[in-house]
Amino acid sequence: MSEIFTLQNIIAVVVALIGAPIIGGILSGVDRIISARMQNRYGPPLLQPFYDFFKLLGKERITVNQTQMVYVLGHLFFSIVCIVMLVLKQDLLMIIFVLAFSSVSLIMGAMSVRSPYSKIGAQRELIQMMAYEPVLLLMVVGIYLTNKSFMISSILENEKPLLYTLPLVFAAFLYVLTIKLRKSPFDFSTSHHGHQELIKGLTTEFSGPQLAIIELAHWYDLVLLLALISLFFANPLWVGILIALVSFFLEMVIDNISARVTWKFMLKLTWIIGIGAAMTNIIWLYLK
């Protein structure tokens, strides 16, 4: 335990806590610019997500009930814990569990109000979790079978990239990334596409500083998910970062060329394609 609290780790954690939302906000700005270009629009400036964030922070604090803010802060707290565990190269399985706690906190916040739009959005988010959580757990199992450890430090020490032994698991995780980022065709829990819809499902009853905190948590989650992609090619790490950025661009393209599907279709498709691809890869690891 004492090895964790070294000066080097403390500096790395502080840099990550400051740098992750900055990177996440810039990536969100890039997303909005490229999406606008694909839709033949000029689009907002690169720093528009930060302008929106500070504008939301300055708005009047209105809460539907007293517990709503607690759930929102819990959503941010668990997202930050995931980033800290990632920087300290801790247990990947625990990171997936903590990330699930973050999503559950947001769902609880949406369920704590009487709005039917908010409750429907929360139920759809819960269905999304039922769809992608098995894929994330299978991804961790596949990484364990390859490295004989759940620790991220062992992945970074492994000279052979995970992508060579887990190509179908990587493909399944890319598929899940679309759901985690709430991109079309799987954006039905928030109606997030184009930032243009009035009723935004899960986040309908959040406003002002609460929405700012949710957006901040989204930036942490975005950096975390792209970092998990880069782990599939961690040596050299710049190749992993490049693959993560290409994957993010691919998500933008899919978001802009896809129509929203129903939750039933999403659930069937994820279990067939996501779980099917991950299971096939894991069985192949056992047999080889």
Side-chain angles (χ1 to χ4, degrees):
M1 181 65 73
S2 60
E3 294 179 355
I4 295 177
F5 297 104
T6 62
L7 179 61
Q8 185 179 3
N9 283 344
I10 292 173
I11 293 174
V13 168
V14 172
V15 170
L17 292 181
I18 297 173
I22 295 175
I23 296 171
I26 291 174
L27 288 175
S28 295
V30 171
D31 184 351
R32 294 175 69 170
I33 291 173
I34 293 179
S35 295
R37 296 290 191 277
M38 289 180 183
Q39 297 164 11
N40 201 25
R41 295 186 289 113
Y42 183 76
L46 178 65
L47 300 181
Q48 187 63 47
F50 297 102
Y51 301 151
D52 294 342
F53 173 77
F54 288 110
K55 184 175 69 177
L56 288 170
L57 278 183
K59 286 186 174 293
E60 183 181 0
R61 296 186 179 185
I62 300 175
T63 56
V64 179
N65 57 55
Q66 294 298 322
T67 58
Q68 202 179 23
M69 194 64 178
V70 176
Y71 291 125
V72 170
L73 290 174
H75 176 53
L76 175 63
F77 172 76
F78 288 121
S79 294
I80 290 176
V81 170
C82 288
I83 288 290
V84 172
M85 292 179 70
L86 178 77
V87 172
L88 296 179
K89 304 169 187 173
Q90 293 301 298
D91 195 316
L92 186 58
L93 184 60
M94 285 303 299
I95 291 177
I96 297 300
F97 284 146
V98 175
L99 188 61
F101 285 136
S102 174
S103 299
V104 169
S105 297
L106 184 60
I107 292 171
M108 293 292 287
M111 291 290 285
S112 68
V113 299
R114 294 182 178 180
S115 166
Y117 299 111
S118 181
K119 287 185 181 295
I120 291 172
Q123 291 167 358
R124 289 178 173 180
E125 183 75 9
L126 200 58
I127 292 169
Q128 287 187 174
M129 285 189 68
M130 290 170 55
Y132 67 68
E133 284 296 334
V135 180
L136 293 181
L137 291 176
L138 287 172
M139 178 189 75
V140 176
V141 170
I143 291 175
Y144 177 81
L145 291 174
T146 303
N147 284 331
K148 309 303 179 189
S149 171
F150 289 118
M151 301 299 286
I152 291 178
S153 54
S154 69
I155 298 174
L156 297 175
E157 291 168 1
N158 192 350
E159 294 183 356
K160 188 177 182 181
L162 292 173
L163 193 57
Y164 290 167
T165 52
L166 299 170
L168 293 180
V169 170
F170 177 74
F173 184 60
L174 272 185
Y175 178 89
V176 163
L177 188 65
T178 312
I179 305 175
K180 287 291 293 178
L181 296 180
R182 302 188 183 95
K183 300 284 191 186
S184 290
F186 307 129
D187 59 337
F188 55 83
S189 73
T190 58
S191 302
H192 194 257
H193 187 69
H195 306 267
Q196 295 170 342
E197 298 185 47
L198 182 61
I199 303 299
K200 292 178 72 65
L202 187 70
T203 55
T204 297
E205 293 300 323
F206 297 109
S207 63
Q210 293 178 335
L211 274 180
I213 293 172
I214 292 172
E215 189 63 19
L216 185 62
H218 173 70
W219 292 345
Y220 277 113
D221 288 348
L222 174 59
V223 172
L224 173 73
L225 293 168
L226 294 182
L228 293 181
I229 286 180
S230 66
L231 288 180
F232 280 87
F233 211 116
N235 284 312
L237 187 57
W238 69 267
V239 177
I241 294 173
L242 183 63
I243 292 174
L245 292 176
V246 171
S247 302
F248 184 60
F249 178 75
L250 181 64
E251 295 296 335
M252 284 186 271
V253 173
I254 293 172
D255 186 33
N256 283 282
I257 64 174
S258 305
R260 188 178 303 146
V261 299
T262 64
W263 68 267
K264 290 182 180 178
F265 187 73
M266 185 277 298
L267 196 60
K268 290 178 184 175
L269 207 63
T270 306
W271 282 356
I272 293 172
I273 295 179
I275 295 179
M279 282 297 296
T280 302
N281 203 150
I282 289 172
I283 292 171
W284 174 72
L285 280 177
Y286 268 115
L287 296 179
K288 80 171 185 176

